[in-house]
Amino acid sequence: MKKFILYASLLGVITLGSCTKLDENVYNSIIATNFYNNRTEVMAAVLRPFTHASAWVSFMDNNNYWRLNELTADQVAWPQKGRHGYDGAQWIRLHNHEWTVTDNTIKGPWDLIWQGIGFCNNTIQDLEKVDFVKIGMTADEKTSIIAETKVLRAWHYLKLIDIYGNIPIVTTVGTPLNPPTKTRKEVFDFIEKEIKDNVELLKPLSANLVGRVSKAAGYAMLSELYLNAEVWTGTPRWDDCIAASDKIISGQTGGLNGNADLDPDIYAPFGVSNDKSKENLFQIAYDFKAADWRLGFEGLFWHYNQKQINGTDRNGNNAVVVVPSAFDAYKDTDLRKQKWFLIGTQYKYGSTTDPVLGTEEYNNKPLVFVKEIRRNSEGETGEGGMTRGEENSGARFNKYQVGLPTDASYWANDFVLYRITETYYNKAEALMRKNGNVATQEVVDLINKCIVRRFSSADYAVNRYTIATLTPDEFLAERGREFVFEGKRREDMVRFGKFTTNTWWDHKPTTATKALFPIPSSQIAINPGIKQNPGY
C-alpha cells in the first residue's frame, strides 16, 4: 500500500526549528505539544524526510547523491550533444574528475542531505515530547516510529560519509551552531550504533510498509555499511556484512509479497507495480495518479521526442546516456542488455515500421540510437568524447518503464534503494574478500542464483560463473551490469580500488584524493568547525 505518500503530499512541509550552519535555510519553529494532536499530524512529520529524500537520492532533476555516484563513474555520462548539454562544463568536470569546491554539483547533495537530517532531528526531538496515548496512539507505536526515524537519519549519514568522508555529527536541531568535523571512523561508529540500537525495534517489511524503513531496510543498510568498512574506517568487517545479509536472505526481515526473494521478472523490481515486487527491500514511494507524485526522470534520460517512443505524454532533455565501454560490457545474449537499454532505430509506440524522427543533427530523419558518442553525422570515427555527442549518441535508459497515461498505475514506479539481489552480491563479495579475493563455490553459487534470471536457459549454461571465471575484476564488472542506473557505481569502484586508477571510454586515471568529494566552499566559509578534505 502507498497510502503513506499521500500524507506528505497533501499536508505539505512540516517546518523545522532553526538549523545549524550545515545548511543555509532557516525554518520557523513549531511547538510539538500544540501541533501533534492526532495520528495524521504525527505521520506527516514522520514521512517528511522520506519525501525529501526523493530530491537527493533518486535520479530526479537535482544536483544530488545519484549524480555524484553515477556521472563520475564508468557507466553513464552527460555529454554535450551539439548545441545542447554543455551547461558550463559541469558534467564534463564530473566525468573527468575535475570538479571544484564551488561547483553546484558538489554543494547540492551536501545541502539536500543535511536538510534531510534536519527533518529527522526535528521529528525525533518533537515526538519524544508527545504523549502518544493522549492522542490515540500507543507507546509501542512511539517506540517504533522514533526507532524508524533514527535509522533513517543513520542512512543519511551513511551516504554522507560515502561521498564526503569526514563530516560533523548533529542530532539536535540548532546545536551546536558550528558543528566540528568528526573522523570517518567516528561517523561510522555513530551510524552502526544508531542502526543496531534500533533495527530490532523496526517492523518486518510488509505491503503496508512500502517506502518506509523496515527491519529489511535496516539490515540492508548494515550490509552496505559493513561491506565498505575497510575503505571507510581501515578495518574490514566481512563477517558482519555476511551476518547482516543473512538476516535478509534467510527471511527474517519480511518482504513486500511474502518473504523477500529474487524476482524472476527482469522488469518487475522497477515497473509501475514495483511496490509489489518481492525483490525490493526499501524504496522511495510514488503514485502519480493518486497523489500527483512521480519519479520524474524524463528530463535526465529521455530524448526530445521520447513520448512518441513510449506512448507517454512527456518528452525529455536528452541528457544522460550510457558510455560505449559500459554498453559493451554486456554480452549480446544478456537479457539486461536487451531489456534495460534503448538502442537502434526507434519506432513510434505500437509500430514496427513508422520511425520516430530526430530534431537536431537528424532532423526529419529516423532516430537511431547508437552506442558511440561522437559526431557521426560529420564522419567522425574513433572514441569520440564528452563534447562530441549528437542527439542520438549513446544507448539509453529503459530500466524503469512507466506505462501509458490511460493506465491506472501510470508512472507509479517507486525508486528502488535496496533489493535483495544486492544483498546476495554483498554477501558473495564479503566471502570472496575473506578468502583472499578468490571466489569459493559458495560465492559462485550466490551470484549464479542471481544471473540465471538474466539469460535464457541455453545461454546461462555457457555464461554461469565458475571459481576460475569469477575474478575480482569480473565481480566488479558484474556488479555494474546488474546495478546500472541505481546510484551505486562510484561506491563500488572505490571499494575495488578502481575509481581513480581505471581508464574507461575517454576518461583517464586521476589522483587518489578524488575518491572523496570536497566539502563545499560555502560551508567552509560559514562554519569554522569544518575541515576540508585532503587535495582540495
Side-chain angles (χ1 to χ4, degrees):
M1 296 173 66
K2 296 189 182 182
K3 289 182 180 178
F4 84 92
I5 64 173
L6 300 177
Y7 284 112
S9 61
L10 296 176
L11 293 175
V13 175
I14 302 302
T15 55
L16 296 179
S18 60
C19 292
T20 66
K21 288 185 180 178
L22 292 169
D23 140 5
E24 297 173 11
N25 296 304
V26 178
Y27 299 89
N28 296 322
S29 62
I30 57 177
I31 300 173
T33 54
N34 291 341
F35 182 81
Y36 300 105
N37 297 304
N38 53 55
R39 181 183 299 273
T40 298
E41 291 168 353
V42 167
M43 293 311 299
V46 171
L47 298 170
R48 184 63 188 101
F50 290 94
T51 57
H52 177 76
S54 174
W56 68 260
V57 74
S58 74
F59 33 58
M60 297 282 275
D61 194 14
N62 293 295
N63 284 317
N64 60 14
Y65 174 86
W66 186 92
R67 290 186 181 182
L68 288 189
N69 241 9
E70 291 289 0
L71 296 183
T72 61
D74 64 353
Q75 291 189 300
V76 300
W78 188 330
Q80 180 181 357
K81 304 176 193 70
R83 62 195 177 110
H84 298 290
Y86 183 70
D87 299 341
Q90 59 185 326
W91 319 123
I92 296 172
R93 289 196 295 277
L94 286 182
H95 179 76
N96 291 336
H97 296 186
E98 296 171 346
W99 50 76
T100 72
V101 297
T102 60
D103 279 351
N104 286 330
T105 53
I106 303 300
K107 182 177 183 293
W110 176 277
D111 289 350
L112 288 168
I113 300 174
W114 278 111
Q115 287 166 18
I117 289 172
F119 284 126
C120 292
N121 286 343
N122 189 79
T123 297
I124 294 165
Q125 206 167 306
D126 279 355
L127 295 187
E128 284 177 339
K129 304 171 188 175
V130 174
D131 185 337
F132 270 50
V133 175
K134 187 176 179 180
I135 64 171
M137 299 180 73
T138 67
D140 286 346
E141 286 179 301
K142 179 175 182 176
T143 298
S144 180
I145 283 172
I146 291 176
E148 178 180 6
T149 310
K150 286 183 176 180
V151 173
L152 181 64
R153 180 177 63 186
W155 173 64
H156 284 69
Y157 277 104
L158 190 156
K159 297 306 177 184
L160 281 173
I161 66 164
D162 171 31
I163 55 180
Y164 299 111
N166 305 319
I167 57 170
I169 298 173
V170 178
T171 59
T172 304
V173 175
T175 59
L177 185 61
N178 294 305
T181 294
K182 301 293 184 181
T183 67
R184 217 175 189 184
K185 173 65 163 59
E186 289 175 303
V187 183
F188 182 99
D189 291 344
F190 168 76
I191 296 167
E192 180 185 21
K193 185 176 188 305
E194 284 284 280
I195 299 177
K196 288 181 69 175
D197 285 353
N198 292 283
V199 67
E200 286 299 321
L201 299 174
L202 301 175
K203 297 176 181 177
L205 180 59
S206 69
N208 290 326
L209 288 177
V210 174
R212 297 278 296 280
V213 175
S214 66
K215 195 170 290 188
Y219 279 106
M221 294 172 198
L222 284 175
S223 176
E224 179 184 5
L225 183 74
Y226 292 137
L227 186 66
N228 290 283
E230 186 171 34
V231 171
W232 293 350
T233 72
T235 302
R237 300 284 293 274
W238 309 128
D239 286 332
D240 290 322
C241 175
I242 293 165
S245 302
D246 277 339
K247 283 279 191 179
I248 298 168
I249 294 170
S250 65
Q252 297 179 55
T253 60
L256 293 175
N257 188 0
N259 284 335
D261 201 357
L262 300 173
D263 199 318
D265 186 333
I266 196 167
Y267 285 129
F270 316 102
V272 294
S273 298
N274 64 345
D275 57 318
K276 300 177 181 63
S277 173
K278 59 186 178 179
E279 179 153 329
N280 294 336
L281 305 175
F282 183 33
Q283 58 230 75
I284 303 296
Y286 298 88
D287 195 325
F288 185 36
K289 292 211 168 177
D292 195 23
W293 178 240
R294 66 184 177 85
L295 180 57
F297 55 75
E298 72 278 6
L300 199 63
F301 292 122
W302 284 4
H303 184 269
Y304 314 121
N305 271 349
Q306 188 84 23
K307 67 182 182 182
Q308 295 183 31
I309 300 171
N310 295 344
T312 61
D313 54 2
R314 298 166 194 269
N315 288 315
N317 295 326
N318 206 28
V320 173
V321 303
V322 181
V323 303
S325 53
F327 189 68
D328 286 340
Y330 293 85
K331 294 183 179 179
D332 289 343
T333 55
D334 193 324
L335 297 177
R336 295 170 295 193
K337 187 175 188 178
Q338 299 172 22
K339 304 290 187 180
W340 288 350
F341 305 95
L342 295 178
I343 195 75
T345 302
Q346 301 303 299
Y347 295 97
K348 293 179 180 177
Y349 183 81
S351 171
T352 57
T353 58
D354 189 8
V356 174
L357 303 181
T359 63
E360 298 289 324
E361 292 88 356
Y362 300 92
N363 186 40
N364 291 323
K365 297 178 181 177
L367 179 64
V368 183
F369 291 141
V370 297
K371 72 174 184 179
E372 297 84 14
I373 303 174
R374 65 189 184 200
R375 305 294 296 175
N376 282 345
S377 66
E378 299 170 2
E380 182 176 355
T381 59
E383 71 178 10
M386 282 291 287
T387 62
R388 307 299 300 157
E390 298 183 325
E391 67 171 305
N392 68 336
S393 294
R396 304 305 173 96
F397 171 89
N398 198 41
K399 201 168 188 176
Y400 282 71
Q401 299 187 8
V402 302
L404 299 173
T406 53
D407 296 342
S409 57
Y410 177 55
W411 220 312
N413 317 65
D414 297 344
F415 182 73
V416 181
L417 300 166
Y418 293 109
R419 339 186 236 129
I420 196 171
T421 302
E422 183 177 0
T423 309
Y424 275 85
Y425 279 61
N426 289 359
K427 179 180 178 180
E429 183 180 331
L431 288 166
M432 188 174 185
R433 291 182 183 277
K434 276 189 65 178
N435 195 47
N437 288 318
V438 176
T440 64
Q441 191 58 49
E442 183 178 9
V443 171
V444 168
D445 290 345
L446 285 164
I447 301 304
N448 280 340
K449 186 173 182 179
C450 297
I451 70 163
V452 67
R453 307 169 296 166
R454 307 318 190 197
F455 295 92
S456 68
S457 297
D459 291 327
Y460 171 69
V462 297
N463 284 285
R464 64 186 303 170
Y465 285 114
T466 66
I467 291 173
T469 59
L470 190 55
T471 64
D473 284 349
E474 177 57 26
F475 200 113
L476 177 61
E478 172 52 32
R479 284 195 79 113
R481 288 188 287 267
E482 180 62 29
F483 301 109
V484 65
F485 303 120
E486 294 187 40
K488 303 177 185 296
R489 188 56 176 170
R490 175 198 144 274
E491 182 183 292
D492 288 345
M493 293 186 73
V494 168
R495 195 173 59 255
F496 277 81
K498 303 295 185 181
F499 182 66
T500 61
T501 61
N502 265 21
T503 297
W504 59 86
W505 181 41
D506 70 334
H507 174 91
K508 303 299 186 290
T510 50
T511 60
T513 56
K514 298 296 184 179
L516 282 176
F517 298 102
I519 308 300
S521 60
S522 58
Q523 294 301 314
I524 300 290
I526 65 174
N527 182 359
I530 294 184
K531 297 178 182 178
Q532 185 56 275
N533 286 326
Y536 296 102

